[in-house]
Amino acid sequence: MRITGDWISRAPTQRVCDMLSQAGHQALFVGGCVRNALLGQPVADIDIATDARPETVISLAGAAHLRAVPTGIDHGTVTIIADGLPHEVTTFRRDVETDGRRAVVAFTDDVSEDARRRDFTMNALYADATGTVIDPLGGLADLQARRVRFIEDAEARIREDYLRILRFFRFHAWYGDPDEGLDPKGLAACAALAEGLEELSKERIGAEMRKLLAAPDPAAAVASMAAAGCLVRVLPGADARALPVLVQLERRLGIGAGWLRRLAVLGGSGEAERLRLSRQETRQLSQIRDYCGTNAAAAELGYRLGADLARDCLLVRAAMAAQPLDPASLEEIERGAAQRFPVGSADIALEGPALGQRLRKIEDAWIASDFSLTREELLRRFP
C-alpha cells in the first residue's frame, strides 16, 4: 500500500528525506501524517523517523544548507527547516525507563523497537519517501477497522505515560468506529489505572481535553471516560449526559464543534485551575453558565455577550433542558448583537457609582423595550 498527497511530494520534504537517505540512513514518515493520509484526512505536522543519531542529523542538515533546531535532542528529536517548512526528525528509540510522565530512551537501529514504544497501533505506521507503507505491528488492519488499540499490553503502555489514558478516549473520538465502541482491553486498562491521571501536569490534561472536546462527536468517548472513572479524575462533578444532546443540536443547526461550549455543558468545578484555562476562556465559560441560568431572550444575549458567546449560551441552555432550539433564535442573536446603546456617560449629570447605576437602569429599560426606545425617550424617562 502507498500513500499520496501534496505534502509528501513537496520539494522541501523530499529534500529532507534525500539528506538522510543519500547518506545511507533511513527516512520514514511516521505517526499522524501517515495515519491521516491513509484516512484521507488533512496532514499538518510532518514527523520523520530515522536510524541516524541526532548529531548526525544536525551535521547532515548543515551540509545540505538546511536549518537544524535541537528541539528535543535528549529524546532524539531535531527539527529541520526546509524552505520555511518544519520537519521533526527523530532517531529510532526504545524506552529504558519510564515513570508515567516521562521516559529515558536509548537509540536503536531497529524500526520495530521504535514502533513498540508508541501508544496505539494506528500510530505505529511508517512510510518511505515514495509513500510505501511499512507496518511493523499490524496497525494497518486496526486503522482500516477504525479501531484504537494499544500496542501489545495496554496497561504497560499506560504505565509508561498516564496521558495515554486521555489519548485513548481522544483518538477514539477522532478516529474510532462509533458503532463498534472502544476497545474492551484498552478501556479496562484505563479504568484500572485511572488514578495515574492525578500524576499528570494540568497543562497536559488541559491540552488533551481541548482536543477531545473539539472532535466532531466526542459524546460516546466522554461517556465511556465517565463510566471508566476517568472523567471524575480530571473534572470532578462533571456529568456527560447532556453532551450528546448538545452535539445533536449542533448538527441540526449546522454549527461547528466548540470545545469550550461542550465543556460548559459537562459542568463540574474548578476547570480553570484543573485544565489551565486562560483568563479569557475562564471568563467566557463563566458567562455561558451564568446566562444559561437566566431567562434572558436571544436578542438580549446577543447584545450582552456578542453573537458567538450568546449562541453557545442558547445551545447549552437547550441541551441541559433537552429541548430543541428554534433556528429563529439565532437570527435574534444577530439582531441583538448589532444593537448599540444610544446613551453615554456624557448624557448623565452624575458621577461615580451613581452614574454607573443610572446607566445600567437606562440600559435595562432600553433592552426591555426590545431596543426600541430612542436616546431622547430614554433621557426623558430617566432625567
Side-chain angles (χ1 to χ4, degrees):
M1 180 173 287
R2 294 182 62 179
I3 57 175
T4 59
D6 293 341
W7 67 274
I8 197 172
S9 59
R10 281 183 300 206
T13 298
Q14 287 295 315
R15 187 178 173 192
V16 174
C17 292
D18 290 344
M19 173 196 83
L20 294 164
S21 60
Q22 290 176 5
H25 297 287
Q26 296 185 66
L28 301 178
F29 299 110
V30 66
C33 59
V34 179
R35 179 195 66 233
N36 284 18
L38 286 166
L39 291 174
Q41 297 185 7
V43 170
D45 301 325
I46 302 175
D47 294 316
I48 298 173
T50 182
D51 54 352
R53 300 306 190 255
E55 60 274 13
T56 301
V57 174
I58 293 173
S59 176
L60 291 172
H65 305 291
L66 297 174
R67 182 182 171 206
V69 182
T71 44
I73 197 164
D74 290 342
H75 287 81
T77 300
V78 178
T79 300
I80 304 297
I81 312 295
D83 292 351
L85 188 68
H87 304 75
E88 282 205 355
V89 179
T90 303
T91 303
F92 295 157
R93 53 194 179 171
R94 58 184 175 84
D95 289 337
V96 175
E97 180 181 343
T98 61
D99 63 3
R101 291 179 296 176
R102 59 186 69 85
V104 176
V105 302
F107 301 135
T108 178
D109 296 322
D110 186 351
V111 67
S112 295
E113 284 192 304
D114 186 73
R116 285 190 175 90
R117 72 169 302 279
R118 298 180 181 274
D119 48 11
F120 310 118
T121 57
M122 64 170 57
N123 290 338
L125 294 167
Y126 301 73
D128 65 19
T130 70
T132 301
V133 175
I134 300 167
D135 182 12
L137 304 179
L140 188 56
D142 284 333
L143 183 65
Q144 291 171 332
R146 305 296 287 262
R147 181 172 50 241
V148 181
R149 186 169 63 87
F150 283 101
I151 290 171
E152 296 176 345
D153 183 78
E155 289 198 13
R157 297 291 78 75
I158 291 172
R159 287 194 176 93
E160 291 166 355
D161 185 351
Y162 288 109
L163 191 70
R164 287 174 173 172
I165 293 176
L166 298 184
R167 285 173 61 83
F168 176 71
F169 296 107
R170 192 248 294 187
F171 269 72
H172 179 77
W174 280 97
Y175 307 113
D177 184 340
D179 297 325
E180 290 297 321
L182 285 78
D183 175 63
K185 291 182 179 179
L187 187 59
C190 290
L193 300 175
E195 187 176 354
L197 289 168
E198 297 179 9
E199 298 184 18
L200 299 173
S201 72
K202 295 178 175 64
E203 288 80 6
R204 296 183 79 197
I205 291 174
E208 278 299 318
M209 288 301 294
R210 283 171 169 83
K211 294 173 184 176
L212 167 59
L213 293 176
D217 184 356
V222 174
S224 295
M225 187 176 169
C230 299
L231 183 62
V232 69
R233 298 285 183 176
V234 296
L235 287 176
D239 188 334
R241 287 177 293 181
L243 183 57
V245 182
L246 175 61
V247 172
Q248 287 303 312
L249 286 170
E250 293 169 345
R251 287 181 171 174
R252 288 176 192 151
L253 296 168
I255 296 172
W259 73 267
L260 193 64
R261 177 198 314 137
R262 291 166 172 185
L263 179 62
V265 88
L266 287 178
S269 60
E271 299 95 330
E273 173 62 21
R274 289 180 173 277
L275 303 184
R276 283 290 192 266
L277 302 184
S278 68
R279 290 182 180 178
Q280 181 181 8
E281 291 165 348
T282 302
R283 183 177 66 254
Q284 290 176 338
L285 183 63
S286 295
Q287 287 176 314
I288 292 171
R289 287 180 172 166
D290 289 346
Y291 277 97
C292 277
T294 71
N295 293 320
E300 180 180 349
L301 290 175
Y303 169 71
R304 293 191 183 279
L305 301 178
D308 290 342
L309 209 59
R311 181 195 60 196
D312 288 349
C313 183
L314 278 189
L315 283 165
V316 171
R317 183 192 286 175
M320 296 296 289
Q323 295 291 327
L325 184 61
D326 185 352
S329 63
L330 301 181
E331 298 177 4
E332 281 293 285
I333 283 175
E334 296 293 340
R335 183 174 72 85
Q339 302 300 319
R340 296 295 178 266
F341 185 39
V343 177
S345 57
D347 297 316
I348 310 297
L350 294 172
E351 295 181 355
L355 173 60
Q357 292 172 5
R358 180 64 60 82
L359 282 172
R360 284 192 294 273
K361 188 174 182 180
I362 297 172
E363 185 180 39
D364 288 343
W366 176 66
I367 294 170
S369 76
D370 196 26
F371 315 108
S372 64
L373 290 174
T374 66
R375 173 179 173 276
E376 291 72 20
E377 289 171 329
L378 289 166
L379 293 177
R380 280 199 303 270
R381 184 176 296 188
F382 301 97

